[in-house]
């Protein structure tokens, strides 16, 4: 977490980032269209906002879970196609779907044994992943209706999570600003404040297939991750606390490598994740985190973030039973996620960067997904 005014080093990093393609769109560069998108069973209305830039890139976001429903990106011939998994209607998101495109909170990723100690008190959060808590609990931020406001430069979504919701202390006000820039970037800026000491780790869970959604698996995508280390896990995907060198392992993506090149190796970590489902320790701060290239279409996605970690997940739990947009079946490894984040289980791992947020501090972090082709 980057707390405003924390240290001069971080401030310098933030300044570097500001010069580093992380500037939001300017007023008037973005077209935003709003449409009604159905209702929850209790009658709460849900909207769909479509953000488009002058190039023709379109990103549709629903107020249900703040989820990215569709995102178009150009191939090497300039042809735009939808490259993210999602559902056709809000009803689709009310079924058990694995966080398609959603905003994740209050704590993204896992908390071991579904409990943590803060200021000497033990907090219990929902056990919804074996013995552990995943992605904020039974009803995390992905299953809440966010309040939307068009700011002129983007779509601002707000969700107020009450003290004690899903077991977390403190009323947390989370604000997420989605922008589509003229450089074909989806920029996501997260802000949060609290009225009591709490923990927070927000992310977005978009599933990408740069070959086009529903167009086969992602094993041929070539991935670079700017990380020399990752956090190995136990069989419940909780970090052991070690920061292990990627060198000489199937986790070394410091040079561009196809996802499928080593995913089937007899490696204990790959077996625990049923493929890649791990957190990489990003090198340095305020920098490019990853690049993904899809050779057939030529599409490229760059990920930039100020976060310390990146969960690279290769859709190992998709099994073809969910039919998404246009009725397409989402099969095993038909998409990948790059969830920028703090390390999993940080509230229980004093050696990991802290995820605590106190009253008076502002949680603030930016992630950019940039699309191009070659
Ligand atoms: C995250 C987790 C995975 C899985 C997916 C959703 O990426 O790390 O283990 O839970 O969400 O299926």
């Amino acid at each position: 977490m980057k707390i405003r005014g924390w240290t001069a080093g971080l401030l310098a990093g933030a300044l570097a980032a500001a010069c580093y393609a992380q500037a939001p769109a300017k007023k008037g560069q973005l077209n935003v269209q709003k449409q009604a998108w159905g209702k929850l069973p209790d009658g709460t209305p849900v909207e769909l906002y479509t953000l488009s830039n002058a190039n023709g890139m379109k990103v549709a976001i629903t107020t249900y879970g703040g989820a990215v429903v569709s995102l178009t990106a150009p191939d090497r011939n300039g042809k735009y196609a939808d490259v993210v998994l999602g559902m056709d209607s809000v009803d689709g998101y009310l079924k058990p779907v694995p966080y398609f495109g959603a905003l994740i909170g209050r704590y993204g990723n896992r908390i071991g044994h579904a409990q943590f100690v803060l200021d000497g008190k033990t907090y219990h959060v929902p056990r919804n992943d074996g013995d552990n808590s995943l992605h904020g609990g039974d009803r995390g931020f992905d299953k809440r209706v966010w309040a939307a406001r068009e700011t002129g430069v983007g779509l601002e979504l707000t969700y107020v999570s009450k003290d004690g919701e899903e077991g977390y202390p403190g009323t947390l006000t989370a604000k997420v600003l989605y922008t589509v820039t003229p450089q074909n970037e989806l920029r996501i800026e997260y802000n949060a404040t609290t009225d009591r000491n709490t923990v927070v780790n927000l992310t977005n869970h978009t599933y990408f297939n740069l070959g086009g959604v529903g167009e086969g698996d992602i094993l041929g995508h070539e991935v670079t991750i700017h990380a020399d280390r990752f956090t190995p896990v136990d069989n419940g995907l909780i970090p052991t606390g070690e920061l292990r060198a990627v060198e000489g392992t199937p986790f070394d993506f410091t040079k561009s490598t196809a996802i499928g090149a080593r995913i089937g190796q007899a490696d204990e970590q790959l077996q625990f994740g049923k493929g890649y489902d791990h957190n990489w320790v990003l090198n340095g701060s305020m920098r490019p985190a990853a690049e993904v290239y899809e050779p057939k279409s030529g599409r490229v996605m760059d990920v930039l973030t100020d976060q310390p970690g990146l969960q690279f997940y290769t859709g190992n739990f998709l099994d073809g039973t969910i039919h998404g947009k246009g009725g397409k079946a989402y099969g095993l490894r038909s998409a990948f996620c790059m969830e920028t984040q703090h390390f999993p289980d940080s509230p229980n791992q004093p050696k990991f960067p802290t995820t605590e947020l106190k009253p008076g501090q502002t949680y603030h972090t930016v992630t950019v997904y940039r699309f191009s082709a070659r």
Side-chain angles (χ1 to χ4, degrees):
M1 175 182 334
K2 189 163 67 61
I3 311 274
R4 273 195 184 131
W6 223 21
T7 65
L10 274 180
L11 199 60
L15 286 174
C19 313
Y20 184 53
Q22 298 214 346
K26 291 201 184 75
K27 253 190 166 127
Q29 287 175 329
L30 187 71
N31 181 277
V32 180
Q33 288 194 338
K34 174 184 174 183
Q35 66 187 87
W37 215 51
K39 288 192 169 108
L40 301 190
D42 69 0
T44 310
V46 172
E47 280 94 43
L48 186 74
Y49 285 83
T50 304
L51 280 51
S52 46
N53 68 11
N55 308 326
M57 175 175 169
K58 283 190 195 313
V59 180
I61 295 158
T62 170
T63 51
Y64 185 73
V68 174
V69 171
S70 63
L71 182 155
T72 66
D75 68 6
R76 64 166 73 85
N77 300 314
K79 188 172 159 252
Y80 281 75
D82 187 5
V83 296
V84 305
L85 305 196
M87 308 304 284
D88 278 323
S89 70
V90 71
D91 293 345
Y93 290 88
L94 296 175
K95 294 184 185 140
V97 292
Y99 311 97
F100 290 150
L103 295 174
I104 307 293
R106 178 177 308 200
Y107 196 92
N109 214 301
R110 291 173 178 78
I111 295 185
H113 303 297
Q115 64 179 55
F116 61 93
V117 177
L118 181 65
D119 303 326
K121 187 171 177 300
T122 301
Y123 291 91
H124 296 273
V125 286
R127 256 192 187 85
N128 61 340
D129 189 57
D131 188 35
N132 305 317
S133 192
L134 175 66
H135 292 334
D138 293 326
R139 205 172 156 220
F141 292 8
D142 59 298
K143 296 180 186 68
R144 308 280 174 175
V145 176
W146 293 61
R149 185 173 76 92
E150 293 175 50
T151 67
V153 296
L155 177 69
E156 183 189 76
L157 298 178
T158 301
Y159 178 65
V160 180
S161 168
K162 299 240 166 64
D163 182 24
E165 186 182 285
E166 299 294 298
Y168 291 92
T171 296
L172 185 88
T173 302
K175 282 187 191 292
V176 173
L177 179 67
Y178 278 113
T179 307
V180 176
T181 75
Q183 293 77 37
N184 283 358
E185 298 163 332
L186 174 65
R187 180 184 189 275
I188 313 177
E189 179 179 338
Y190 305 83
N191 281 284
T193 53
T194 183
D195 64 357
R196 271 179 68 194
N197 290 1
T198 192
V199 294
V200 57
N201 187 29
L202 304 182
T203 191
N204 174 281
H205 208 306
T206 295
Y207 287 70
F208 298 97
N209 182 329
L210 300 181
V213 59
E215 300 291 330
D217 67 44
I218 43 76
L219 298 176
H221 285 50
E222 294 165 15
V223 170
T224 308
I225 303 177
H226 300 288
D228 297 330
R229 294 171 298 171
F230 75 111
T231 51
V233 289
D234 65 17
N235 60 6
L237 300 186
I238 298 296
T240 60
E242 180 190 350
L243 305 185
R244 186 179 294 172
V246 294
E247 200 179 348
T249 78
F251 292 80
D252 188 352
F253 283 97
T254 54
K255 289 190 193 70
S256 176
T257 308
I259 294 175
R262 300 162 302 186
I263 202 168
Q265 283 185 10
D267 174 277
E268 186 183 52
Q269 285 298 315
L270 284 173
Q271 280 156 3
F272 286 160
K274 300 188 169 44
Y276 295 106
D277 191 357
H278 294 76
N279 171 68
W280 272 253
V281 178
L282 296 172
N283 294 338
S285 68
M286 310 304 292
R287 61 301 186 231
E291 185 207 80
V292 186
Y293 172 65
E294 200 283 302
K296 285 190 203 135
S297 64
R299 287 196 186 88
V300 176
M301 180 174 88
D302 289 290
V303 184
L304 298 89
T305 190
D306 55 10
Q307 290 283 63
L310 177 78
Q311 185 84 6
F312 173 46
Y313 167 60
T314 45
N316 313 311
F317 298 121
L318 297 173
D319 60 6
T321 54
I322 297 175
H323 291 257
K325 288 178 285 189
K328 284 184 176 159
Y330 293 155
L332 179 71
R333 299 184 180 144
S334 60
F336 67 91
C337 301
M338 287 198 162
E339 302 152 65
T340 57
Q341 61 179 10
H342 264 256
F343 304 168
D345 197 35
S346 295
N348 292 313
Q349 307 244 8
K351 288 193 181 140
F352 287 175
T354 182
T355 49
E356 288 177 25
L357 183 71
K358 299 183 166 63
Q361 296 177 330
T362 301
Y363 169 98
H364 175 259
T365 168
V366 178
T367 292
V368 172
Y369 298 94
R370 183 194 293 152
F371 298 88
S372 57
R374 66 174 180 247

